[in-house]
Amino acid sequence: MKKAAWFAIGFAAYLGAMWFYLFHGADTALPVHLKGSAADPAMFMNERQLSLSYDFSRIKDFIYFVSVPLEWLIYLLVLGFGLSRRFRETAQGLTRFSVVHSALYVLFLSAASWILTFPLRYYSYTVSKSYKVSVQHFDGWMKDSLVDFWIGYAFTVVMVGAIYWLMKKSEKKWWLYAWLLSIPFTIFMYFIQPVLIDPLYNEFSPLKDQALKEKILLLADKADIPADNVYEVNMSEKTNSLNAYVNGIGSNLRIVLWDTTLNKLSDSQVLFVMAHEMGHYVMNHLYWNLISSIVLSFLGLYFGNMLYRRWIKKYGDAWGIKGISDIAALPALLLIFSLLGFAVSPVENAISRSAERDADQYAIEMTKNPEAAVGAFQELTVSGLSEVNPPKLVKFFLYGHPTMLERISFLDAQRTSKDK
């Protein structure tokens, strides 16, 4: 109980420090040389939009910095208060079939985590709704949340079942065998996501605007992208934000536009956005993402195994865990993977930002329309109430894209050089 109290005090102190940093301590002033430029939000947002953008962005950033350690805290409490051991014992008491034990245990742990994090997720939803970034009704949001839960549960059951089976077979090399099994699984997920998983959340249909479709397919042909269709997805019933993407591999490659993007951007702006997404394909970013996922999973499993073994050796008795292959140790393993993922996220984000800059450059070279590019990002900023120049810590941990300040100023420089 004393340790729990200290955890609670430390968590409260952390929240206070993050709140102060985000709302009072961070320097987000616009560089003097960019004032009055196309990247200056005062040039394309009114006073109310500027105020809403600041408040919305900071609240959402704060929610993120609350949610990450909250997940860690939940895992520690489940272990420290003996709940994990009780979940295991309950699962074993419900059936004599050992193959079902891990599935039941994962259900108990997932349900507990989902319930404990629900208030924060609901608050995040209400914030987006109150700032009119989200327009989704509660029942639709709840449906998506439940779909998330059951999809996550299904994949977790498969992965956890495989990992703990491997642990029982080989306590020393389970992590290596798990990594080898993860490679075809990761490739399979990249292949099936556009056609099996994405449609569970949204309705996809061929792009209705035939003239725009032809323009996009001409761009794709110019970029040597093997696409014969363009899809639009009905997102206007959920959000006012804009987005477009190219995902999938092989025959399941899909070019997708949110209908909000189609409704709010001109054709020339849409073409720039699509050229940017095609740039990711042309420069093999999709495949590099796949390779990096495989490499990072190797490193995560290797270092995760070392930490996991030490933790179980040191704290296993106190947590009521019988050994590394005990399913009751799962919260410790998930905590370790979450910590490692958080630690490596700044590096992943930096690499991602570089790829996004390259895609912007590619799109400019393909469309030769920096005016449309600048306008597209300005509209993206307004629609999503994005902060043009976020705090450095936010950019460090959250931004896989360059900030809007960086993107618009880069594109505006391209426009200026073209005019000369």
Side-chain angles (χ1 to χ4, degrees):
M1 292 301 293
K2 283 185 178 180
K3 287 183 178 180
W6 279 113
F7 273 127
I9 292 170
F11 189 57
Y14 161 79
L15 295 183
M18 287 306 307
W19 180 271
F20 176 80
Y21 171 76
L22 291 172
F23 287 90
H24 302 287
D27 179 17
T28 59
L30 198 72
V32 175
H33 71 281
L34 291 177
K35 287 186 177 179
S37 71
D40 185 347
M43 302 301 293
F44 59 90
M45 299 175 81
N46 59 40
E47 214 169 286
R48 176 165 172 74
Q49 288 170 333
L50 286 169
S51 175
L52 291 173
S53 169
Y54 175 86
D55 292 341
F56 176 73
S57 297
R58 296 308 169 84
I59 293 171
K60 295 293 280 189
D61 293 340
F62 183 69
I63 289 172
Y64 168 79
F65 284 110
V66 172
S67 65
V68 173
L70 178 62
E71 178 190 6
W72 303 340
L73 191 60
I74 289 171
Y75 290 144
L76 286 171
L77 291 176
V78 167
L79 289 165
F81 282 99
L83 291 176
S84 188
R85 173 178 52 80
R86 291 177 190 173
F87 290 160
R88 178 197 64 207
E89 291 171 351
T90 302
Q92 291 173 343
L94 288 174
T95 176
R96 62 187 179 86
F97 297 107
S98 58
V99 70
V100 184
H101 292 164
S102 62
L104 287 171
Y105 176 90
V106 171
L107 180 60
F108 299 150
L109 179 63
S110 299
S113 179
W114 191 88
I115 291 168
L116 290 171
T117 58
F118 181 83
L120 188 63
R121 286 183 285 109
Y122 177 71
Y123 175 63
S124 179
Y125 160 71
T126 59
V127 167
S128 296
K129 192 82 182 288
S130 64
Y131 281 86
K132 294 183 170 44
V133 172
S134 171
V135 295
Q136 188 175 24
H137 295 301
F138 174 77
D139 56 347
W141 174 80
M142 195 67 193
K143 176 189 171 185
D144 285 349
S145 295
L146 290 172
V147 169
D148 264 341
F149 174 83
W150 288 111
I151 289 177
Y153 169 72
F155 286 128
T156 303
V157 166
V158 172
M159 289 186 288
V160 168
I163 285 173
Y164 279 88
W165 180 79
L166 289 170
M167 284 180 181
K168 289 174 183 176
K169 295 296 181 181
S170 176
E171 288 197 355
K172 290 184 178 180
K173 293 186 178 181
W174 68 267
W175 64 272
L176 179 60
Y177 300 138
W179 175 71
L180 292 171
L181 281 176
S182 75
I183 295 174
F185 179 78
T186 302
I187 296 171
F188 178 67
M189 287 303 301
Y190 266 72
F191 188 75
I192 69 165
Q193 179 163 342
V195 293
L196 290 183
I197 297 177
D198 290 349
L200 293 174
Y201 295 91
N202 302 297
E203 181 183 342
F204 291 78
S205 61
L207 182 62
K208 299 179 185 69
D209 187 335
Q210 292 299 310
L212 180 58
K213 176 182 173 180
E214 288 304 316
K215 292 176 184 177
I216 293 172
L217 290 177
L218 278 173
L219 271 182
D221 184 60
K222 185 178 176 183
D224 290 326
I225 295 177
D228 55 9
N229 210 339
V230 180
Y231 295 87
E232 61 180 277
V233 55
N234 181 18
M235 291 297 294
S236 55
E237 62 184 19
K238 295 184 179 183
T239 183
N240 285 318
S241 296
L242 315 182
N243 198 14
Y245 57 88
V246 177
N247 73 340
I249 56 176
S251 60
N252 280 1
L253 177 78
R254 277 197 170 184
I255 299 174
V256 179
L257 283 155
W258 286 11
D259 62 342
T260 50
T261 305
L262 294 166
N263 295 337
K264 295 183 180 180
L265 297 187
S266 67
D267 281 8
S268 59
Q269 291 170 339
V270 169
L271 289 174
F272 169 79
V273 171
M274 293 314 302
H276 168 94
E277 298 303 329
M278 291 174 190
H280 288 306
Y281 178 88
V282 170
M283 291 180 279
N284 296 313
H285 292 163
L286 298 176
Y287 291 98
W288 281 114
N289 285 344
L290 176 60
I291 292 169
S292 66
S293 294
I294 293 171
V295 171
L296 286 174
S297 66
F298 175 86
L299 296 174
L301 284 163
Y302 174 75
F303 289 108
N305 170 61
M306 290 196 299
L307 285 171
Y308 181 61
R309 297 175 73 86
R310 290 176 186 175
W311 282 18
I312 301 306
K313 184 178 181 179
K314 187 173 183 180
Y315 304 110
D317 290 340
W319 291 339
I321 293 170
K322 300 172 183 177
I324 70 163
S325 61
D326 184 352
I327 190 67
L330 179 60
L333 189 62
L334 294 177
L335 173 58
I336 288 168
F337 287 153
S338 181
L339 288 167
L340 291 173
F342 182 75
V344 79
S345 63
V347 177
E348 289 183 296
N349 287 337
I351 294 171
S352 176
R353 288 195 297 270
S354 176
E356 294 295 335
R357 280 191 290 270
D358 290 343
D360 282 347
Q361 180 66 54
Y362 176 88
I364 281 291
E365 292 172 358
M366 176 168 271
T367 62
K368 304 190 185 307
N369 193 344
E371 187 77 37
V374 169
F377 281 123
Q378 288 176 337
E379 185 58 47
L380 280 164
T381 304
V382 174
S383 298
L385 290 182
S386 303
E387 190 172 15
V388 169
N389 190 28
K392 289 182 180 178
L393 201 60
V394 173
K395 175 184 173 181
F396 194 61
F397 281 105
L398 272 74
Y399 272 59
H401 291 69
T403 65
M404 286 300 183
L405 178 71
E406 294 167 336
R407 301 184 90 166
I408 296 175
S409 59
F410 165 74
L411 295 168
D412 192 39
Q414 299 284 321
R415 179 173 62 177
T416 304
S417 86
K418 181 183 177 184
D419 291 340
K420 288 180 180 178

